[in-house]
Amino acid sequence: NAGVTQTPKFRILKIGQSMTLQCTQDMNHNYMYWYRQDPGMGLKLIYYSVGAGITDKGEVPNGYNVSRSTTEDFPLRLELAAPSQTSVYFCASRPSGGLNQPQHFGDGTRLSIL
Amino acid sequence: AQTVTQSQPEMSVQEAETVTLSCTYDTSENNYYLFWYKQPPSRQMILVIRQEAYKQQNATENRFSVNFQKAAKSFSLKISDSQLGDTAMYFCAFTAGDMRFGAGTRLTVKP
């Protein structure tokens, strides 16, 4: 059971480049999330989705875009990479059935913008 | 706005002893959920324990327990019989919709 899978694990980008962070889950979870974790800080919500075709902004959405065409996949797009986007990015999912359902996290993607 | 505050950036404890990590939160919601997550050096986020705000009884999971004080908006984590494998960052989290995380407490268990 793979759970939540994120690719790549590490990436270095130049300022102004674009890239997509991939996230897929095999648990048939409706809810999916993207977070960023800056050094020494907790996670901050970038975007989330409550099901295929539905996405919404979180706490820090600027500079990012998402799509959710299937239940399994929730990619995060950086269009014009900036040094402020250097961070560790986590994807998470949870089942329906209430907010008490814990989120399941991927292993993270460490992204450096130089 | 809902905020989560962890006032202890770093803590240490001797193996086999007990340690308590603090967490406070601010919300106007009445129905919400609280979580403690552990993040070891491997960077994985692992659920430790969760608490429903409507439940008065404190949650317990083996060596981990919470002290939930709803009126004080406090949600501390107690780790009993600390083990070397408990060394990690610990994050307190709150949700009434979006999940909000504290800045974390780095716990080191010393042999």
Side-chain angles (χ1 to χ4, degrees):
Chain A
N1 190 356
V4 179
T5 302
Q6 291 183 235
T7 56
K9 295 191 183 303
F10 304 95
R11 184 73 184 268
I12 298 175
L13 282 182
K14 294 182 179 179
I15 295 171
Q17 287 185 321
S18 62
M19 78 162 294
T20 299
L21 280 65
Q22 301 292 344
C23 175
T24 187
Q25 51 93 7
D26 62 359
M27 298 173 282
N28 202 33
H29 288 172
N30 283 329
Y31 291 78
M32 294 189 75
Y33 307 85
W34 273 108
Y35 295 92
R36 59 178 287 171
Q37 184 181 26
D38 298 331
M41 302 295 290
L43 280 67
K44 291 190 176 181
L45 183 65
I46 305 171
Y47 271 95
Y48 67 99
S49 170
V50 301
I54 306 169
T55 62
D56 209 345
K57 296 178 180 179
E59 194 179 0
V60 290
N62 291 343
Y64 306 94
N65 279 299
V66 294
S67 60
R68 183 93 183 273
S69 57
T70 66
T71 298
E72 295 78 18
D73 300 309
F74 190 41
L76 177 71
R77 178 91 177 155
L78 283 72
E79 291 293 350
L80 290 170
S84 62
Q85 293 177 304
T86 293
S87 191
V88 178
Y89 291 83
F90 287 95
C91 180
S93 72
R94 72 165 176 88
S96 305
L99 294 172
N100 64 328
Q101 298 297 317
Q103 296 184 14
H104 300 254
F105 287 83
D107 290 340
T109 295
R110 183 178 295 278
L111 181 63
S112 296
I113 316 294
L114 303 176
Chain B
Q2 292 142 352
T3 58
V4 179
T5 303
Q6 294 179 247
S7 58
Q8 306 151 315
E10 294 188 23
M11 293 191 72
S12 63
V13 63
Q14 292 295 133
E15 194 176 7
E17 294 189 346
T18 296
V19 64
T20 298
L21 309 183
S22 301
C23 173
T24 59
Y25 57 94
D26 186 25
T27 184
S28 58
E29 300 284 346
N30 192 50
N31 188 27
Y32 53 87
Y33 301 85
L34 296 158
F35 302 82
W36 278 98
Y37 280 89
K38 169 185 177 181
Q39 187 180 43
S42 66
R43 212 169 63 194
Q44 286 181 300
M45 291 288 287
I46 303 166
L47 177 68
V48 175
I49 199 166
R50 59 182 156 175
Q51 174 82 39
E52 292 87 347
Y54 63 85
K55 288 187 177 179
Q56 293 186 345
Q57 185 173 5
N58 289 324
T60 300
E61 289 286 343
N62 300 314
R63 297 183 295 108
F64 299 88
S65 61
V66 300
N67 183 5
F68 174 48
Q69 302 288 329
K70 190 172 184 179
K73 297 180 181 175
S74 170
F75 182 60
S76 61
L77 174 69
K78 186 171 83 171
I79 306 175
S80 303
D81 185 26
S82 296
Q83 300 176 359
L84 297 178
D86 295 333
T87 292
M89 284 288 289
Y90 286 82
F91 293 98
C92 177
F94 163 101
T95 184
D98 293 352
M99 185 83 83
R100 297 297 171 105
F101 288 81
T105 296
R106 183 177 302 280
L107 177 67
T108 301
V109 180
K110 298 180 178 179

